[in-house]
Every structure is written in C-alpha cells, then in structure tokens.
Amino acid sequence: DVCLFVCLLLLSVLLCVALVSVSAFVEELDDSVCCMKGVYCVLLCDVVVLQFYAPWCTFCKQLDPVWHQIGSELKSLGSPVNVGKSDATTNTGLAKEFRVRGYPAILMLKKGVKYNYSGPRTKDGIMDFAHRVGGPLIRSLSSLQLFQHAMNRHDVMFVYVGATSQLKGNYASAAEELIVHTYFFSATRDVLPKAVALPSLPAVVVFKDGTYFTYNEESDGELKSWINRERFPMYFKIDSYTLYAMGESGNINTPQSDVNTHRNFYFGFMEGSDYINGLVMGEVIVPSLIVINLSNDGYFLPPGAVETERHLLDFLNGVLDGSVQCHGGNSATQRIRRFIYDAKVTLTVSPPVFSQAPLLGCFLVGFPFTILAIFCYLCCKARSNVSDDDTDNVVLLASSQQHRKKTTNKKSD
Ligand SMILES: *[C@@H]1O[C@H](CO)[C@@H](O)[C@H](O)[C@H]1NC(C)=O
Ligand SMILES: *[C@@H]1O[C@H](CO)[C@@H](O)[C@H](O)[C@H]1NC(C)=O
C-alpha cells in the first residue's frame, strides 16, 4: 500500500529531522566574501567556488564555519579563486542553472565551465579542489626539480610526455572532465628520471605506489576510462566518499585485464567500522577483511581466518570465480532492510535528547506523529489527491538522504 509506505517514510523522516535539528549549531557567516550578491556577480567572476545551501539544511550550517575559513584562507594566499554561497531556495534560477539536486552542493565555475565537487566536506578537501580546478588544466613540469617536488606531493600523478599530438588532445579532454578528481601534468622526456623507460613517445604515464604504468591504447581502452581507473593508489586509506567515487569510476576489469588477481581489486583500509556496519547491517569486529562489489553493494567475507598470503589469494580468487558467497546487495528487500536498520541506528544513537530533556523529546516525537496522523488521514481520505503533496515529499526525502549520509557516513551527492 503506497499510502502506508509514504506514511512510514514520513514518520522516520520527521523523526530524523527533529533529532538532527536539536543538535544543530548555527554560526553566522559574514558577507565579506566576493560574489555573494546574486547571479550577475557570480557570473562576472572569473573563477568561483560556490556553495548552494538551503536554510533548513543542517549539513549546510555545519559547513558554514569551514566555508568562512576557506574564503579567508584563499584570500590571504592571493588565490584567484573567489568564494561564494547562494541560498538555492531563493536564487532558484541560479540553482537551476547549476542543476543543484542536494544540499549543500559545492561547485566551481571557471570561465563558464562548471565542475562538481563530490569529496568529503572538509576544509582540506575543498581547498585542494579549488586549487586544482582553479589552476591550469595541465601543469607543465619544466625541470627535474619540479617533477620531484610534484612527486613528493601527489600519491598518484599523471604525466603526458612528448610534443603536441592527437594523444595530447585526448589527454586534455580527459583532464577537462577529471580535473575534479586528480591533477594533470605534462613534461618533456629529459625532465623525467633516466630510470623511467618509455617504449615510445608521446606517452601518458601514471606514477604511483613507487612505480609507474604507461598507457597502452590497445590493451587499456579509452584514455579517459584508464585514467579514471588508475587514479586510485594500489593501497590507501579509504573513506565513504572515495569508496563511492571508486564505484562511479567504472569497472576495473578491462576486457584484456591482467591475469593477476590483484589487478581486479582496489585495496585499501578504513578507519572505524561505521560505514561497513551500515553496509553489512551489523557490528563488524575490528580489524576484519571484507570484499565489496561496488556495482551492487554486495559483500564477501572470508570463509576462515586469513593468516597467510595464500589464504588471501584463495579468498580473492573465490570471490572472482563465484565460489565465495555474496551477501547483501541492492535488491528491493535489501533496501528495505537497510532502511529499517538505519532507522534503528538513528533511534539508538540519539537517546540523549530523551534522557536530558524528556519533555522536549516527547514533543519532538509527538509533534511529527500529529502531523503524520493528519497527513495519513488526509492521504487516505483523498487518495486521488496524493500527487498534490509531491513537492513537500521531495524536500523531506532530500533531508532524509542527507541524514542517512551522516549516520552511516555514506555516499556523497
Ligand atoms: C554535476 O551534478 C549535476 C547533478 O548532480 C549533474 O546534472 C551535472 O551533469 C554534473 N556536472 C558535471 C560537469 O559533472
Ligand atoms: C558484482 O556485481 C555485478 C552487478 O550485479 C555483477 O555483474 C558482478 O558479477 C559482480 N561481481 C562479483 C565478483 O561478484
């Protein structure tokens, strides 16, 4: 019954909203940052990093102090990047122009081209994004010193080597799209260390994990997809945003994929188990080993203890050949189970409201119940008119998703 489902959904959403808004901390942002006066000013700015927010959005409020810091820091660094923010609920034309779907939406506009930010909403993450996208598309490394300096700063580094060519054109168009994720460099052959062996020029090379790989058009497929797959180090610290980005970056198995098992997997470690607990819907013992299928949210657990490299390889091969059972996934039943799990976690994580201010707690729960009861009454009384409430539902669902992101530290927008 659709009506019942909507009622249940609304109930949990209202609960979430109520609980979250209690813990909200509002900080006033002063408007000394450039480009805050609306559409025309923003479009006149050459390079601007923009935050779209909604007055009711808790995550936007949490981002406010960070945003303020970013503004003053970029200014004091003499960066050409301007920092702005815009209330998407009043500046709807602008929000539409940028196709804003969730809040806060972080975007960059450079010479009329828009770039989406999808990383963690931290100062470092956003500053790095502003610096990367605000600078040249392809950074030229003109000396060995500059090359070494860049190598020290970046875990993964793409370098185009050679003169102008068709490949360079492809490299530039890949950069146009993927600059939101990684830096792009170019160099001449004599700038690279002698030890780097290149079969032919021009070439695109990725330096990572203390070694390098050269792009091979025949076996690696399209340059853009190759860059998208190779932009992650072999083994590194992963957060939920990165995990989501990995899922988005496409299948790591190219048709001519390496026979080596390890090239079929990304490897990494996660701090804390919140995200994985949400995925397996239970408590994971730390440390543990888990394989996730990023295409369908399925997961695999080793059948026994993994103590040697042999055990690990057997487990990974078992995942690939299907002999290890896949759990979870994103089927309809799994989604419902996850929804219930999230609601349960939300209620058990937030009891301080009830113990510290029982009256307030009752009000917070009781008020949505009342609204819900009225809604259900109206909804069931006039089912044919349910579609009138569509706009309200959109807003509430958006905040529900953002809440989920917080409790399970999940996927970014
Ligand atoms: C940015 O995100 C919006 C909505 O999420 C999408 O419609 C748009 O195509 C994205 N833009 C780019 C340049 O990826
Ligand atoms: C991962 O999920 C995709 C999509 O459901 C499926 O085609 C693929 O076989 C799965 N991979 C493994 C190793 O189970």
Side-chain angles (χ1 to χ4, degrees):
D1 189 338
V2 174
C3 181
L4 186 65
F5 178 68
V6 171
C7 292
L8 280 176
L9 200 66
L10 267 179
L11 169 64
S12 10
V13 168
L14 285 171
L15 274 178
C16 295
V17 171
L19 292 171
V20 167
S21 49
V22 170
S23 55
F25 175 68
V26 187
E27 178 157 343
E28 207 65 46
L29 195 82
D30 83 46
D31 59 0
S32 59
V33 278
C34 166
C35 293
M36 284 193 49
K37 306 216 166 49
V39 183
Y40 300 107
C41 180
V42 166
L43 297 180
L44 284 177
C45 284
D46 213 19
V47 196
V48 58
V49 58
L50 252 183
Q51 182 211 156
F52 283 98
Y53 66 94
W56 45 261
C57 155
T58 316
F59 294 93
C60 306
K61 284 175 192 147
Q62 287 169 351
L63 190 62
D64 253 6
V66 173
W67 205 251
H68 187 60
Q69 277 173 19
I70 292 172
S72 62
E73 207 150 305
L74 284 177
K75 202 169 211 171
S76 69
L77 287 172
S79 166
V81 180
N82 299 291
V83 180
K85 55 185 273 179
S86 172
D87 182 344
T89 60
T90 55
N91 305 310
T92 48
L94 194 59
K96 205 168 181 182
E97 170 73 25
F98 282 87
R99 298 201 203 127
V100 172
R101 296 222 189 101
Y103 305 108
I106 300 170
L107 301 123
M108 201 147 163
L109 184 75
K110 188 179 129 188
K111 300 196 171 77
V113 183
K114 294 163 207 136
Y115 301 89
N116 286 344
Y117 178 70
S118 57
R121 294 175 196 131
T122 58
K123 193 182 109 193
D124 289 348
I126 299 167
M127 289 274 288
D128 187 51
F129 169 73
H131 180 242
R132 186 157 15 91
V133 179
L137 199 57
I138 298 174
R139 287 152 212 255
S140 160
L141 300 170
S142 51
S143 68
L144 183 60
Q145 282 87 337
L146 277 177
F147 174 81
Q148 299 291 12
H149 179 72
M151 280 287 274
N152 291 338
R153 289 197 48 191
H154 304 285
D155 292 340
V156 176
M157 203 169 110
F158 291 94
V159 185
Y160 173 87
V161 191
T164 307
S165 67
Q166 164 94 46
L167 184 64
K168 186 153 193 184
N170 294 347
Y171 188 68
S173 80
E176 186 84 39
E177 194 171 311
L178 298 176
I179 189 85
V180 293
H181 300 300
T182 189
Y183 286 88
F184 288 81
F185 297 94
S186 72
T188 52
R189 179 65 190 92
D190 53 307
V191 162
L192 299 189
K194 297 268 177 302
V196 175
L198 298 177
S200 66
L201 289 182
V204 177
V205 190
V206 58
F207 293 87
K208 62 176 187 177
D209 309 304
T211 180
Y212 61 93
F213 304 92
T214 310
Y215 167 68
N216 179 329
E217 192 167 358
E218 264 148 47
S219 57
D220 294 326
E222 210 197 341
L223 179 63
K224 199 188 292 172
S225 330
W226 178 77
I227 292 174
N228 219 353
R229 294 192 303 269
E230 293 290 343
R231 68 188 169 86
F232 304 102
M234 200 96 80
Y235 178 71
F236 67 117
K237 184 177 158 185
I238 296 176
D239 56 30
S240 53
Y241 292 97
T242 324
L243 202 59
Y244 180 67
M246 287 170 143
E248 293 284 283
S249 74
N251 202 337
I252 46 175
N253 304 326
T254 55
Q256 290 85 6
S257 179
D258 279 52
V259 280
N260 295 335
T261 301
H262 72 265
R263 295 287 282 171
N264 289 305
F265 294 91
Y266 291 121
F267 290 82
F269 61 95
M270 258 185 161
E271 259 171 21
S273 56
D274 289 353
Y275 180 85
I276 297 299
N277 285 346
L279 184 86
V280 308
M281 292 179 262
E283 289 279 322
V284 172
I285 302 156
V286 178
S288 37
L289 187 71
I290 185 168
V291 170
I292 302 170
N293 184 342
L294 295 172
S295 340
N296 65 1
D297 281 351
Y299 65 92
F300 303 85
L301 297 169
V306 177
E307 278 156 5
T308 64
E309 194 178 330
R310 190 70 256 158
H311 291 161
L312 177 62
L313 286 174
D314 287 345
F315 169 47
L316 296 183
N317 285 322
V319 168
L320 287 182
D321 68 23
S323 60
V324 177
Q325 201 210 333
C326 178
H327 305 274
N330 55 5
S331 62
T333 40
Q334 285 298 330
R335 280 173 204 224
I336 293 169
R337 275 190 61 200
R338 181 154 297 129
F339 181 77
I340 295 169
Y341 175 83
D342 285 349
K344 225 164 68 186
V345 167
T346 306
L347 287 177
T348 47
V349 162
S350 325
V353 182
F354 295 93
S355 48
Q356 281 162 21
L359 266 179
L360 181 63
C362 288
F363 172 73
L364 287 175
V365 176
F367 182 64
F369 259 116
T370 317
I371 302 265
L372 183 71
I374 296 172
F375 173 81
C376 289
Y377 173 74
L378 293 176
C379 168
C380 299
K381 199 180 162 201
R383 282 190 189 194
S384 52
N385 288 339
V386 160
S387 57
D388 291 352
D389 293 317
D390 268 357
T391 41
D392 284 351
N393 291 350
V394 172
V395 172
L396 289 167
L397 284 172
S399 59
S400 139
Q401 280 182 357
Q402 292 193 337
H403 183 72
R404 197 168 101 92
K405 263 171 238 143
K406 190 192 176 196
T407 46
T408 61
N409 199 12
K410 262 213 146 143
K411 298 175 178 182
S412 80
D413 292 342

